[in-house]
Amino acid sequence: VKQPTVAVIGLGLMGGSVVRALAQLPSSPRVLGASPDARDRAGAEQVPGVRVAADPRDVLPEADLVVYAAPLAPILEMLPAHAPLLRADAVATDLAGLKRPVLERAFQVGLGDRFVGAHPMAGGEGSGFDGGRADLFRGARVWLCAHGGVERRAAVRIEHFWADLGARPEWTDPKSHDELMERVSQLPQLVANALALALERSGVRPSDLGPGGRDMTRLAESSPEMWRDLLAHTGPEVADLLRGVTRSAEELAGRLEAGELDEVCELMARTRRWRSGRANEQRGSEQP
Amino acid sequence: VKQPTVAVIGLGLMGGSVVRALAQLPSSPRVLGASPDARDRAGAEQVPGVRVAADPRDVLPEADLVVYAAPLAPILEMLPAHAPLLRADAVATDLAGLKRPVLERAFQVGLGDRFVGAHPMAGGEGSGFDGGRADLFRGARVWLCAHGGVERRAAVRIEHFWADLGARPEWTDPKSHDELMERVSQLPQLVANALALALERSGVRPSDLGPGGRDMTRLAESSPEMWRDLLAHTGPEVADLLRGVTRSAEELAGRLEAGELDEVCELMARTRRWRSGRANEQRGSEQP
């Protein structure tokens, strides 16, 4: 069996983590990397056995597995140009935060049979290749989606690829995935932005925050460019979801003004049961 | 010089961390602990040299430094009964999240000259003695406040106490402290609750969250009882602050509905500059 060759397109925090994780596998594949960013390329070149290029088209023809670790917009832009360059036996995956636009594009350009979209529920502080970690995907759920006509060979290969990196692959469909992400990803992101805006406006400096406040504003430092891409493919429902949060906040504000602390406390107990996974338990059984 | 004796009243996550940190000091004091919770007492007893009691009044008379690591309400309740039991040379501190109510009570019961309120900007997941860590305070800012008539001896002793635990003590006044906490502590807490309520209502399970969503809802698991105490001593201004967040969220929702992604992106760039401490930099200088 000849050594497989993996091309990683995009060498930022996510792509950089894929490269590092691949290099640490017991039987690591040949790894090619591509990025327009000279600093990220220089970082990837430090990893033993990794070869890099500025233009992905210089590494694509050698790869039998292609990993698109770029942001959503560049992926959508690259796929049409790349499709004819992929080897006939090559399979491809990506890491974008929404799966419907990527899979639609992959299908349009004739890659529906061998493209398996992936979304690892993993991330980190920092950015660029230097922000990556070999164990970023370890234990993380990775959502997998493909077009109905995907080849079984491609589905199995990509599922194994992610499992080999330590992730927990789980299949879903692109619509369910993207609707879930509006709730668990877009919504917390926008709430972090709203909180950070309010804190800035009230004169708070980030150095004034404790660990809770830091957690609650960490996402406010996310890349606006990456989010612009994702929000461009997010439906207007996310605005409704955001208003669901403002209604909950308004309820809390009203209760606080009215001095209804028992009711506030009950709402807090409810979120505690939910967050700790005990939402279905009897009330009162919380303290053993 | 005889070995100092520290009494730690309350052996939960915070008190448990104080006990552990004291036990690890190069010249550790004698440590006495008190808690009504048998499990927390059992945990503290495992730390070499620590002696525990259920009733704080059994350890108070021996201590020359008393650390109130209980929640706010029990502290306010204990201080009047404890004041006559404290040794004449003893000094005291506490760890409650609001400082005005504690210092007022300490003054009322005649401890204004030797009570220095403290608020370590540190915390952790979990609860109880088992949730504590010897290094919890390492590098953390600790706000210190005292009544104007505090003895210099007490101020110096408590400041050193916190510095010895690895914290960064910083003096402020109780009013400024509590007003800052409304912004950096109460507000993020309530936003986490509001987000968690909205997520629960929209059918999301906590296991669906990625790292960002987990960060944004971690506080939703905070103790409702602890927060009831704190909110009972928080002014109605916190409702206004919460409405400041809903206004920011409403602005984002409106822009998203209108498809004004450039404006959303600009707001995100603003929170990014703020959170990264680059708020005063020229725009456009972000990407070097």
Side-chain angles (χ1 to χ4, degrees), chain A residues 103-119:
Chain A
L103 285 170
E104 278 171 10
R105 183 61 52 96
F107 180 71
Q108 283 163 6
V109 302
L111 294 175
D113 53 346
R114 50 211 179 103
F115 193 101
V116 177
H119 182 202

Side-chain angles (χ1 to χ4, degrees), chain B residues 122-195:
Chain B
E125 293 204 58
S127 62
F129 188 88
D130 292 342
R133 308 193 322 254
D135 65 352
L136 186 70
F137 308 111
R138 191 151 297 283
R141 182 187 277 173
V142 173
W143 292 114
L144 298 182
C145 318
H147 184 261
V150 70
E151 286 175 14
R152 182 164 160 72
R153 177 188 71 91
V156 168
R157 173 101 200 259
I158 297 295
E159 182 173 336
H160 284 175
F161 170 81
W162 284 107
D164 286 347
L165 299 191
R168 298 182 292 114
E170 201 161 323
W171 288 89
T172 183
D173 66 282
K175 183 168 180 290
S176 305
H177 172 273
D178 289 6
E179 283 174 2
L180 183 63
M181 286 313 119
E182 286 180 2
R183 289 162 171 74
V184 303
S185 185
Q186 271 82 321
L187 184 61
Q189 173 61 48
L190 293 163
V191 171
N193 292 119
L195 174 61

